[in-house]
Amino acid sequence: MLSSINIDYFILLMALLLIIGVLTTKFSTRLGVPALVLFLLVGMTMGSDGLGFIPFNNPYLAQLIGIIALVVILFEGGLQTKWSAVKAVAKPSLSLATIGVLLTTIVVAVAAKFIFGVSWLEGFLFGAIVGSTDAAAIFAVLKGQNIKNNLSATLEAESGTNDPMAVFLTLSFIQLLTISESSYIMLIGSFFWQMGAGLALGYGLGLLASYAINKINLDSSGLYPIFALAFALLTYSLNDLIGASGLLAVYVAALVIGNRDLTYKHSIFRFNEGFAWMMQILMFVILGLLVFPAQLLSFDIIVKGFLLALILIFVARPIAVFLSTPRMGFNTREKIFLSWAGLKGAVPIVLATFPMTMGVENSQLFFNVVFFVVLTSALIQGSTISYFAEKLGLNGPEKVEPPHTLELVSIGKANAEIIEFAVNENMKVAGQALKDLELPSDVLISAVIRNGDLVTPHGETVIKPGDILYILVAKQTIKALKRLLNETKDES
C-alpha cells in the first residue's frame, strides 16, 4: 500500500511532467522539432536509466496507456476532420493505409533480415511494427500548417486508417512466431473481418452517439464531452471484444460525430482537443520511461538502427507511395512530399511492446531498434515537413479555424445558440449589406470580426471575405441558416 509520502511524490511528479510537457510544445515550435521527440526525451531523462526519478519497466502498463491514448487521439483527430475532405481523398488514403503499409512491411523486412541477421518472420515483424504512419505525429505536425488541402487530408486520413493494418500484421507475425499451428488462410479471413466489422460498427456507433448527444438533455454542458468520449472508449472495447479493429472503428465513429450538428459541439471539440494533448504527453513520456538509454545508444543499435531508418525513409516509404497511388491525381512533386511526410510515432513504439508482453524472442532488440527508428524519423522528417512543402511549391491558402458553436448557457435547456461563421469570397453573402440579407426573424448577427478587430454590425455593414460572423439563432433555425449562408455565387 502506497504511503502518503509516495502518493504526494507521485502527484508532484505528474504535475511536473504535465507542466514540462506543455512548455515543451512551445520550445518544439521554436526549435522546429516535433513535440513528441521532446516528450520522449523527457521520459528517457526521468527514467530509471536517466536521473532515476521515475523507475519504470512495465511494458504491460505502457501498452495499456498507449492504447487508451491512441483511442483518445484518433477520436479527437476524427472529430476535427471534415468528411468532404476525406471523401475527396478516400481512394489514395485507403490504398496507402493497406497496400502502402504492406509494401513498407516487405521492404523493411528484407532490410531487417540482412542488417540484424534475424529470421524472415522476425524481419517481417520488424516491418509490420514500423509500417504505418502515426496519427498522433501527423495530426500534431500538420496542425496549423498551410499545406495543400488534398495532401494534408490524405496524410490525416491515411494515419487515421492505417493503424489497423499495422496492428493486424504485427499480431499475425507474432502468432506465426509463437504458435506453430497458425493458419495463413485464417489470418486472411481475420483481416477482412477486422476491417469490415470495424467500419460497420464504427459508423453505426457514431450515428448512435450523435443521436444520444442531441436527444439526452443533460444538466451541465460539461457532461457532453465526457459522454462523447465514453462512446469512443465503448466503440473501441466493443470492437476489440468481437475481434474487429477498434482503432479503425473509433476513427470512423469520430468522423460521423464530428460532421453532424451536435448540441454543445464546441465544448465537445475543445475538451477532446485538450484531453488528447494530455494523453499524448502522458503516452510519449511513459514510452520514453520504458527505454534504457544505455541500451538504445549502444554502437550496434545506433549504426544498424540508423541504416534501417534511412532505408525506411528513402526506400520503403517512397516505394509504398509511388506504387499504391497510381493515377490518383497526384503529380511527382506531391508523391515526393507524401513519401517524406510518412512520420512514425507512438503506434510503432506501442506495437513494439506487443512482442515484449507476448514472449517473443529478441523482443528487447525489437523495442530498442523501433524506438531509435521513430526518433530518427521524427527528427529528420518531422522537423522538415513545412520546409519540404515550401520548396516543392505545395503550400495552400492560409488555414482558417473551422466554424464552431458557442453555447449561451451551461444548463442544456436554452433554445438558442451563438454560432461562429467564417465567410469566404465564393459565398453569396460576401459583398452584401446586412440589411439586404433575407435572414429568418429569429436570427441576429451580433458581432463581426474583421482582420482581428471587432466591427459592431448595423444595417449598412457590408460583409467581406475573411469576416467571422457571430450569429444569435434559435436552435430550430440553425440548419436553415447554414444552408442560406453557405450558398455560393454560382448558385444565384
Side-chain angles (χ1 to χ4, degrees):
M1 193 171 181
L2 288 175
S3 67
S4 60
I5 295 177
N6 288 336
I7 292 173
D8 293 341
Y9 178 68
F10 175 77
I11 294 173
L12 176 62
L13 281 175
M14 283 294 295
L16 290 175
L17 285 176
L18 288 175
I19 291 171
I20 292 170
V22 171
L23 295 178
T24 293
T25 62
K26 188 70 175 178
F27 288 117
S28 72
T29 303
R30 292 184 177 180
L31 295 173
V33 177
L36 69 92
V37 174
L38 299 181
F39 296 154
L40 289 170
L41 293 177
V42 168
M44 292 170 64
T45 303
M46 302 287 280
S48 49
D49 203 23
L51 298 176
F53 290 154
I54 311 177
F56 185 80
N57 187 23
N58 190 334
Y60 295 94
L61 180 58
Q63 188 180 109
L64 173 63
I65 293 172
I67 290 174
I68 294 174
L70 287 174
V71 169
V72 174
I73 292 165
L74 277 173
F75 186 65
E76 191 270 337
L79 288 177
Q80 301 284 357
T81 303
K82 293 295 181 184
W83 170 243
S84 57
V86 172
K87 186 178 179 181
V89 297
K91 189 175 179 180
S93 298
L94 290 175
S95 182
L96 284 167
T98 51
I99 298 172
V101 172
L102 184 59
L103 290 171
T104 303
T105 299
I106 293 171
V107 175
V108 174
V110 175
K113 160 69 178 173
F114 293 102
I115 292 173
F116 294 98
V118 295
S119 68
W120 278 111
L121 277 179
E122 288 175 324
F124 274 99
L125 180 55
F126 262 115
I129 290 173
V130 298
S132 69
T133 58
D134 182 63
I138 292 291
F139 292 152
V141 170
L142 293 184
K143 187 169 289 185
Q145 301 285 350
N146 61 330
I147 295 165
K148 286 179 65 175
N149 287 335
N150 67 321
L151 296 177
S152 58
T154 298
L155 289 169
E156 289 176 356
E158 177 200 2
S159 66
T161 55
N162 68 3
D163 294 343
M165 183 68 171
V167 172
F168 165 75
L169 290 173
T170 299
L171 294 178
S172 296
F173 288 122
I174 290 176
Q175 186 175 335
L176 291 171
L177 280 166
T178 56
I179 304 175
S180 56
E181 63 271 14
S182 298
S183 167
Y184 288 93
I185 296 176
M186 289 291 291
L187 292 177
I188 294 172
S190 173
F191 169 75
F192 285 105
W193 165 254
Q194 287 187 42
M195 300 300 122
L199 282 169
L201 282 175
Y203 182 76
L205 288 168
L207 290 177
L208 177 62
S210 303
Y211 179 82
I213 290 169
N214 284 330
K215 291 299 180 182
I216 295 179
N217 196 3
L218 301 174
D219 291 333
S220 170
S221 63
L223 294 173
Y224 285 92
I226 298 173
F227 195 46
L229 181 61
F231 270 99
L233 297 172
L234 178 67
T235 299
Y236 176 84
S237 58
L238 287 180
N239 278 270
D240 197 54
L241 284 172
I242 64 171
S245 175
L247 294 177
L248 177 62
V250 167
Y251 186 71
V252 172
L255 271 176
V256 174
I257 296 169
N259 283 275
R260 298 179 74 86
D261 288 322
L262 298 176
T263 299
Y264 295 107
K265 189 172 186 176
H266 176 57
S267 297
I268 292 171
F269 277 37
R270 296 287 78 80
F271 170 86
N272 280 283
E273 182 180 17
F275 194 56
W277 269 112
M278 187 178 80
M279 293 305 296
Q280 189 175 159
I281 293 170
L282 179 62
M283 172 178 63
F284 283 119
V285 170
I286 290 292
L287 294 174
L289 289 172
L290 198 59
V291 175
F292 291 87
Q295 298 177 13
L296 182 71
L297 300 178
S298 67
F299 181 78
D300 194 53
I301 294 293
I302 291 175
V303 173
K304 294 181 178 180
F306 189 65
L307 179 58
L308 186 66
L310 292 180
I311 293 173
L312 174 63
I313 294 170
F314 292 103
V315 181
R317 174 66 179 180
I319 287 176
V321 169
F322 277 82
L323 293 185
S324 62
T325 58
R327 300 178 182 178
M328 293 188 184
F330 297 116
N331 59 39
T332 302
R333 289 182 296 112
E334 290 173 332
K335 289 183 180 180
I336 291 173
F337 178 77
L338 290 174
S339 300
W340 189 252
L343 282 179
K344 309 304 173 186
V347 172
I349 301 176
V350 172
L351 290 180
T353 64
F354 280 80
M356 300 174 74
T357 59
M358 300 176 78
V360 176
E361 190 178 355
N362 295 322
S363 60
Q364 190 62 52
L365 173 66
F366 280 97
F367 186 83
N368 290 335
V369 172
V370 168
F371 194 95
F372 188 87
V373 168
V374 169
L375 275 179
T376 306
S377 168
L379 282 170
I380 294 177
Q381 295 171 284
S383 59
T384 56
I385 279 185
S386 59
Y387 174 81
F388 258 74
E390 182 180 350
K391 289 300 179 184
L392 292 169
L394 300 176
N395 284 336
E398 188 174 346
K399 292 187 177 180
V400 180
E401 284 294 314
H404 51 255
T405 301
L406 303 174
E407 290 78 20
L408 283 176
V409 292
S410 61
I411 58 174
K413 298 178 181 179
N415 193 37
E417 294 176 357
I418 294 178
I419 68 169
E420 180 183 278
F421 186 82
V423 180
N424 65 51
E425 58 185 8
N426 297 319
M427 292 176 176
K428 186 178 176 182
V429 296
Q432 292 194 52
L434 293 184
K435 65 179 183 179
D436 298 327
L437 297 180
E438 297 180 358
L439 298 174
S441 58
D442 51 2
V443 170
L444 174 66
I445 297 179
S446 53
V448 177
I449 303 297
R450 181 173 298 159
N451 299 322
D453 297 324
L454 173 65
V455 176
T456 303
H458 51 79
E460 301 297 329
T461 301
V462 176
I463 299 174
K464 297 181 179 180
D467 285 354
I468 297 177
L469 311 180
Y470 285 86
I471 309 169
L472 178 63
V473 54
K475 286 185 177 181
Q476 65 269 19
T477 312
I478 291 177
K479 288 185 178 180
L481 175 64
K482 287 185 176 180
R483 282 196 299 268
L484 175 65
L485 293 176
N486 281 302
E487 284 184 6
T488 62
K489 294 176 180 178
D490 296 334
E491 296 174 0
S492 57

